[in-house]
Amino acid sequence: MAQSKLLDYQNVSLKGTIQVPGDKSISHRSIMFGAIAKGKTTVSGFLLGEDCLSTIECFRKLGVEIDVDGTNVTINSTGIDAWEEPKEVLYTGNSGTTTRLMLGILAGTNLHTVMTGDASIGKRPMRRVADPLRLMGANISGRANGQFTPLAIQGTQLKAIDYSMPVASAQVKSAILFAGIRAEGTTTVRENEVSRDHTERMLKQFGGKLTVENGVITIDGGQQLNGTHVDVPGDISSAAFFLVAGAIVPNSEITLKNVGVNPTRSGILEVFEKMGAKMTVEVEDQHAAEPTATIKIRTSQLEATTIEGDIIPRLIDEIPILALLATQANGKTVIRNAEELKVKETDRIEAVVTELKKLGANIEATDDGMIIEGPTKLHGAHLNSYGDHRIGMMAAVAALITDSSIELDDAECIAVSYPTFFNDVSELI
Ligand code: SPQ
């Protein structure tokens, strides 16, 4: 039975410097590429969140040697053809990224594998990945014709496809690109809206080739990848909670170091600018595989805004915390075109609206987003995380500005992406 956590932070201000943990998306991919490549891969700044540890466990079951020493990880692999057929089910925990990307990887092996995850994963749609992979010749079966886990994959020789993405999803795109590495011919993926491009960037780090032009990605099959070093930057999706906290908690001034600011992820910074946040972004190395920055944020007077269109995939995971931010902004904030939120760890439109209403926020759900009218003084309440790390952290940041404490059910789920979250909160108080 999940325990509740009392979040009692009255009259606090936040001051100081922190470095948020490694990027979740990049950490997953470092293990996947390291396991596919031949030779030794070293990773620094790896995220020790539950999701990324699930990825490591899956590859260990495939016979890949992976050593974890703090946030340094070493992968020794003799390449994908040397993986062993696992005797056990591969358990992907709460991680959509692990489940979907591994589907693309496993489809082109010569192995039979079965994958399953937790209750939340069991409800998340998998046909968005299984269907294009089937067009490549993949053998995938599962509940509701492959829509839900458990999924069984009989690996086979895949063939290239030309695929136009029906939704903006880095997971779908990445699964097809991973499959494309093993397929016969040249695979093309067409994106209408740009989604995070960590897979494309990292493939090149491992010596692979692909082209990206006007939203069209092409990759040749039969490529051999070689082990390398991956430096994982801090996760902007984790930094987002402290960016919002710094902007809405009175008398605060926070510095966040080494935050990944890949333009396909940094939509939140554009929203902060539009809302008038007192923020500076100092980019460290624009030409690194993944650019990083030091971001400073101070308590700010905020104006409402509209968040819609092609910025949505570049800040999709930040919408729960942006909704909290909007409760403190002057005017009506409208979030549109974000229906993808309904198929995350939980229905994040419903969860955000229900929980922020309990605190007294003026917020309504729409079909593809929400409308928030601010500013409102928030009060304490008993909240639910729904087992979703991002809802849990939104509740914890809200507790920094409520007039009395918040009791949060299932706060442990925060360890999925940010196991040291409460230490960092304490560090700044
Ligand atoms: O891995 P998971 O559970 O899907 O994690 C989430 C998150 O909030 O951490 C989504 F719930 O992030 C996804 C993100 O929303 C991670 C991701 C990736 O690493 O490729 C891509 C996005 O999902 P999608 O469905 O848009 O491709």
Side-chain angles (χ1 to χ4, degrees):
M1 181 64 189
Q3 282 180 351
S4 72
K5 185 174 172 77
L6 185 68
L7 305 166
D8 192 11
Y9 307 115
Q10 300 310 298
N11 302 316
V12 294
S13 64
L14 303 174
K15 293 236 156 59
T17 302
I18 57 165
Q19 189 162 324
V20 296
D23 187 281
K24 177 159 78 69
S25 295
I26 299 173
S27 294
H28 281 303
R29 287 159 171 82
S30 69
I31 302 299
M32 294 171 180
F33 276 113
I36 292 169
K38 270 195 179 149
K40 180 172 161 178
T41 292
T42 51
V43 184
S44 56
F46 186 80
L47 170 64
L48 297 167
E50 285 168 6
D51 271 11
C52 300
L53 297 176
S54 294
T55 295
I56 289 184
E57 280 315 307
C58 288
F59 281 99
R60 282 185 173 149
K61 285 191 179 145
L62 288 158
V64 181
E65 193 191 308
I66 305 174
D67 292 316
V68 181
D69 178 10
T71 58
N72 293 318
V73 178
T74 307
I75 305 146
N76 276 300
S77 178
T78 37
I80 195 164
D81 290 314
W83 294 356
E84 294 161 14
E85 200 158 56
K87 293 183 196 74
E88 292 164 60
V89 170
L90 303 178
Y91 184 68
T92 60
N94 188 246
S95 177
T97 308
T98 312
T99 316
R100 297 206 177 107
L101 272 56
M102 291 215 49
L103 210 48
I105 296 169
L106 294 167
T109 62
N110 51 10
L111 310 171
H112 180 268
T113 45
V114 180
M115 258 196 312
T116 199
D118 68 6
S120 156
I121 281 295
K123 292 186 209 144
R124 294 180 68 182
M126 295 296 154
R127 279 197 50 188
R128 53 179 52 203
V129 178
D131 284 352
L133 293 175
R134 283 167 171 162
L135 294 174
M136 299 176 85
N139 298 309
I140 297 166
S141 56
R143 286 185 297 133
N145 191 20
Q147 179 70 319
F148 301 116
T149 55
L151 296 166
I153 305 115
Q154 177 58 61
T156 188
Q157 175 60 57
L158 301 174
K159 54 183 190 308
I161 49 166
D162 186 327
Y163 192 71
S164 295
M165 299 272 298
V167 283
S169 162
Q171 293 178 353
V172 176
K173 170 178 68 175
S174 300
I176 300 170
L177 294 178
F178 273 121
I181 299 174
R182 302 279 292 174
E184 251 168 35
T186 302
T187 295
T188 303
V189 180
R190 297 172 195 274
E191 285 193 294
N192 281 330
E193 285 169 353
V194 177
S195 63
R196 64 192 70 187
D197 66 355
H198 307 301
T199 306
E200 296 90 306
R201 287 172 186 247
M202 205 180 286
L203 179 98
K204 291 182 186 159
Q205 279 181 275
F206 279 82
K209 285 202 187 89
L210 92 177
T211 64
V212 184
E213 229 178 274
N214 299 325
V216 182
I217 309 157
T218 58
I219 180 165
D220 288 339
Q223 298 193 40
Q224 170 61 54
L225 304 182
N226 296 309
T228 187
H229 178 72
V230 179
D231 199 3
V232 182
D235 197 325
I236 193 167
S237 299
S238 298
F241 295 97
F242 289 103
L243 289 173
V244 169
I248 63 177
V249 175
N251 301 316
S252 294
E253 189 164 354
I254 303 178
T255 301
L256 299 163
K257 294 181 83 167
N258 191 39
V259 180
V261 287
N262 176 325
T264 63
R265 292 285 297 283
S266 58
I268 185 172
L269 303 181
E270 291 161 42
V271 171
F272 263 60
E273 233 152 62
K274 257 176 56 187
M275 293 177 83
K278 291 180 183 155
M279 176 188 73
T280 60
V281 179
E282 207 178 300
V283 178
E284 274 132 33
D285 183 359
Q286 191 73 62
H287 303 290
E290 293 283 351
T292 55
T294 296
I295 308 179
K296 293 188 180 180
I297 181 82
R298 282 188 292 143
T299 314
S300 312
Q301 285 273 358
L302 300 160
E303 293 303 319
T305 189
T306 296
I307 307 173
E308 63 182 348
D310 60 11
I311 200 170
I312 295 289
R314 300 195 292 118
L315 50 65
I316 187 75
D317 297 338
E318 286 66 80
I319 292 178
I321 193 64
L322 284 171
L324 174 66
L325 182 76
T327 68
Q328 302 309 302
N330 198 14
K332 192 189 276 186
T333 293
V334 180
I335 302 173
R336 284 194 200 103
N337 312 124
E339 49 277 272
E340 274 294 299
L341 290 174
K342 294 180 181 168
V343 290
K344 300 296 180 186
E345 282 81 331
T346 188
D347 177 339
R348 286 182 176 162
I349 295 181
E350 199 184 304
V352 165
V353 171
T354 308
E355 299 312 292
L356 289 181
K357 265 192 181 163
K358 288 183 192 166
L359 302 178
N362 189 348
I363 179 167
E364 292 302 330
T366 61
D367 277 352
D368 64 349
M370 49 196 105
I371 300 172
I372 307 128
E373 185 116 35
T376 21
K377 182 91 196 104
L378 302 182
H379 53 72
H382 192 146
L383 299 190
N384 190 349
S385 71
Y386 303 85
D388 183 330
H389 50 129
R390 303 214 187 273
I391 304 297
M393 286 186 275
M394 177 198 77
V397 174
L400 296 165
I401 58 162
T402 46
D403 63 3
S404 57
S405 60
I406 286 181
E407 193 161 339
L408 175 63
D409 283 347
D410 197 359
E412 306 90 88
C413 66
I414 290 172
V416 156
S417 65
Y418 201 157
T420 52
F421 175 75
F422 287 108
N423 297 346
D424 284 347
V425 173
S426 306
E427 191 72 26
L428 294 170
I429 288 177

